[in-house]
Amino acid sequence: AGRYSALLGDLPLRLPKERSGTKSVWHLYPVRTPRRDELASGLTARGIATGIHYPRALPDQPCYRPAGMCRVVGDLEVARAAATTTLSLPLFPLLRPEEQELVASAVRDVLSVRQTP
């Protein structure tokens, strides 16, 4: 996760961060961008798997609608924005540094952002 943060830190992405006093297990590396679907398609076209693990805000999950189990107060603007802009990049214990560099390069390419030397 730290390597991804270093490789992607200058891109127009919202990167995950550990909160003070916590230690993440980094089972996912979710980034946020309003160009999520374009980024996912571009990475898929380059043979790079991505994930959309939480595609809907909780009250928008179909299982909660019929029973009225989830009462919504307000428009949940932040939750709904997160659901439509979050994409998980490949992250697993045996991911090699050169593979992360390939992913970062592909992200940069899809977003057409060139790294300055």
Side-chain angles (χ1 to χ4, degrees):
R3 183 169 187 73
Y4 267 143
S5 293
L7 291 168
L8 302 171
D10 66 325
L11 298 180
L13 298 169
R14 184 169 176 186
L15 304 178
K17 295 182 176 140
E18 286 182 312
R19 290 183 182 202
S20 178
T22 66
K23 185 74 174 148
S24 178
V25 296
W26 295 113
H27 73 292
L28 298 174
Y29 192 83
V31 299
R32 288 185 60 187
T33 174
R35 297 171 62 190
R36 188 228 15 223
D37 295 339
E38 176 188 352
L39 181 57
S41 295
L43 294 177
T44 298
R46 289 162 175 80
I48 298 170
T50 61
I52 298 175
H53 293 92
Y54 308 104
R56 295 181 190 97
L58 190 62
D60 297 334
Q61 296 289 338
C63 63
Y64 290 117
R65 286 188 199 148
M69 294 173 61
C70 198
R71 228 174 108 214
V72 176
V73 177
D75 61 10
L76 302 175
E77 180 180 316
V78 173
R80 289 192 169 114
T84 61
T85 61
T86 303
L87 180 72
S88 294
L89 299 179
L91 186 69
F92 50 92
L94 298 178
L95 184 64
R96 297 186 315 263
E98 59 270 18
E99 291 172 316
Q100 281 187 298
E101 290 167 10
L102 180 76
V103 171
S105 178
V107 168
R108 189 174 300 283
D109 204 33
V110 171
L111 298 178
S112 297
V113 177
R114 299 290 167 226
Q115 192 170 20
T116 53

